[in-house]
Amino acid sequence: MIVFVTGGAGYIGSHACLALLEAGHEVVVVDNLSNSKEESLRRMQDITGKSLKFHEIDLLDAEALDRVVEESKPDAVIHFAGYKAVGESVEKPLMYWDNNITGTINLLRSMRRHDVKVLVFSSSATVYGESDRVPITEDFPLKPYSPYGWTKFTIEQMLRDQYHANDDMSIVMLRYFNPVGAHPSGRIGEDPNGMPNNLFPFISQVMIGRRPELRIFGNDYPTPDGTGVRDYIHVMDLVDGHLVALEKLHDNPGLYTYNLGTGKGCSVLETLHAFENVTGKTIPYRIVDRRPGDVATSYSDCSKALNELHWKAKHDLIDMCADSWRWQSMNPEGY
Ligand code: NAD
Ligand code: UFG
């Protein structure tokens, strides 16, 4: 299959391209490198011994995008490209709406124009907002709380509308919980710009000596140890979910939504201790105030993906910490 991957140079996209190449697909990447480096693509091709086509293109450049879709003749699209930082989206909402929404509209238009009918979209558990209970199933109410979350919510609705207007389309929307970890080679991984927002890259940077300590945002949540609980999922499991989603669309065209997580919640302190066990290092930390917008507990029920896609996450928290640390220690400054 020829798979067109937007945002393929980014964290999840680069791991997905690797898995696609290993599965024997032809891969065409478009990325404007706004939050990634071409080095990720170079290394990933080196690991697989296979090559892909890369176009440095912005999805907001509708004409350039359309030319590449036309010339690539893809069988399917996986759409990762977009901005993803919750805090930044609060400060610069229009930038988020423009990039995420306009970029997706341009992509959908080109897909229609060139008869590309199959799409896998990166949504996020952020669409659930603060849920009333856990575990979270796909039919929970959607109530995002940040501009970023609203862009994911809106794109999901746009895709439902597009599917209902064109029932020859076939779409899977994947709601990721907390993707972490790296390819076991340690050669590709998550390389955030500036100060990391997320727990795993932050802990990794403390361990490598780039940050003095971890600040734990609150230990007074109604959770077993008072710190926030999340459903961390290894990026290699996550990208497997995309491959089985593509198979699903091939065999059973339709419109589907799936949670991708492990179904298990881990607290910040549990995660910190897992990193300490894996690395033998002590991680300095300090408890500070809660971070605005954080929920106490979020984890998935992934039985729909298990029943319909026969997909289940295989890696545990120890694998996630070990692979994150291998990537960080082999690449102290990132790419
Ligand atoms: P990332 O920033 O590493 O990758 C996104 C890629 O898209 C980057 O390479 C960036 O340069 C590119 N991009 C952004 N805007 C573009 C544009 N207009 N044109 C072309 N390329 C553009 O992020 P990621 O963690 O790999 O996330 C991939 C997708 O998964 C995103 O849509 C994100 O919202 C979603 N997601 C991520 C997480 C997470 O925690 N990482 C959780 C849920 C959902
Ligand atoms: N945390 C800390 N210190 C840090 C960073 C995080 O204590 O320096 C805590 C948070 O308070 C939270 C947990 O670690 O309890 C996880 O935080 P992350 O920032 O790693 O992940 P979030 O669940 O807050 O956010 C992630 C993505 C968002 C997405 C959300 C829901 O980053 O884009 O999951 O899917 F919206």
Side-chain angles (χ1 to χ4, degrees):
M1 209 189 289
I2 301 174
V3 186
F4 190 87
V5 182
T6 75
Y11 169 44
I12 303 169
S14 57
H15 290 80
C17 289
L18 183 146
L20 287 163
L21 289 177
E22 283 183 338
H25 297 293
E26 281 179 51
V27 177
V28 180
V29 168
V30 295
D31 198 304
N32 64 0
L33 303 180
S34 58
N35 197 36
S36 53
K37 305 210 171 64
E38 202 175 338
E39 178 67 7
S40 66
L41 295 174
R42 203 190 60 70
R43 291 192 191 181
M44 178 251 297
Q45 292 175 89
D46 201 40
I47 296 168
T48 57
K50 296 181 176 177
S51 55
L52 52 70
K53 290 201 182 103
F54 171 55
H55 301 272
E56 187 175 337
I57 279 177
D58 194 317
L59 294 193
L60 299 187
D61 183 347
E63 278 178 27
L65 175 67
D66 197 64
R67 269 197 305 275
V68 184
V69 173
E70 183 176 24
E71 98 188 18
S72 320
K73 302 188 177 26
D75 300 297
V77 173
I78 307 184
H79 180 30
F80 293 107
Y83 294 150
K84 62 164 183 178
V86 173
E88 185 183 53
S89 79
V90 175
E91 284 157 28
K92 301 174 182 169
L94 293 183
M95 188 174 106
Y96 271 67
W97 282 98
D98 191 26
N99 195 51
N100 293 2
I101 304 297
T102 313
T104 304
I105 292 175
N106 289 344
L107 179 67
L108 290 171
R109 284 209 172 113
S110 287
M111 287 177 65
R112 251 356 269 162
R113 206 171 285 134
H114 303 295
D115 217 24
V116 186
K117 295 173 182 155
V118 176
L119 175 69
V120 177
F121 171 61
S122 299
S123 189
S124 166
T126 197
V127 295
Y128 297 114
E130 177 141 32
S131 65
D132 298 333
R133 58 208 152 78
V134 280
I136 297 170
T137 50
E138 289 83 354
D139 55 0
F140 270 36
L142 304 183
K143 35 183 187 176
Y145 54 86
S146 70
Y148 165 67
W150 282 108
T151 67
K152 291 293 178 193
F153 172 96
T154 306
I155 293 168
E156 284 199 2
Q157 187 54 42
M158 205 152 74
L159 295 179
R160 284 183 209 103
D161 293 344
Q162 186 69 350
Y163 173 77
H164 292 305
N166 308 279
D167 61 8
D168 57 345
M169 278 201 81
S170 218
I171 301 174
V172 170
M173 306 190 281
L174 298 174
R175 294 180 182 153
Y176 312 157
F177 278 70
N178 290 54
V180 298
H183 187 261
S185 66
R187 298 191 60 209
I188 58 171
E190 185 171 13
D191 183 19
N193 279 331
M195 173 95 91
N197 291 309
N198 300 119
L199 184 64
F200 268 64
F202 206 102
I203 292 182
S204 303
Q205 292 196 6
V206 172
M207 288 194 307
I208 204 77
R210 282 172 64 179
R211 316 266 162 209
E213 62 181 5
L214 172 71
R215 290 175 309 140
I216 296 185
F217 299 134
N219 65 350
D220 57 352
Y221 283 107
T223 61
D225 63 23
T227 64
V229 167
R230 296 291 184 277
D231 184 348
Y232 299 102
I233 171 169
H234 197 295
V235 66
M236 297 311 297
D237 282 330
L238 188 80
V239 301
D240 272 355
H242 294 68
L243 267 68
V244 293
L246 282 179
E247 282 167 29
K248 171 88 179 175
L249 292 177
H250 186 263
D251 299 338
N252 299 89
L255 173 71
Y256 308 94
T257 306
Y258 298 106
N259 286 340
L260 294 184
T262 61
K264 277 184 63 181
C266 296
S267 75
V268 177
L269 281 171
E270 269 179 89
T271 306
L272 179 137
H273 294 317
F275 265 107
E276 289 183 331
N277 286 338
V278 161
T279 61
K281 288 173 177 282
T282 302
I283 302 166
Y285 70 89
R286 186 161 52 97
I287 307 289
V288 300
D289 286 347
R290 291 181 179 192
R291 182 171 65 177
D294 273 357
V295 300
T297 302
S298 164
Y299 59 88
S300 62
D301 178 325
C302 288
S303 40
K304 190 173 174 210
L306 178 63
N307 294 335
E308 296 184 17
L309 300 175
H310 311 294
W311 172 91
K312 189 176 190 301
K314 298 187 186 87
H315 294 88
D316 63 13
L317 187 63
I318 296 293
D319 300 333
M320 300 181 212
C321 296
D323 289 337
S324 293
W325 176 237
R326 190 174 306 107
W327 152 254
Q328 185 70 69
S329 50
M330 285 172 64
N331 306 272
E333 302 298 325
Y335 282 112

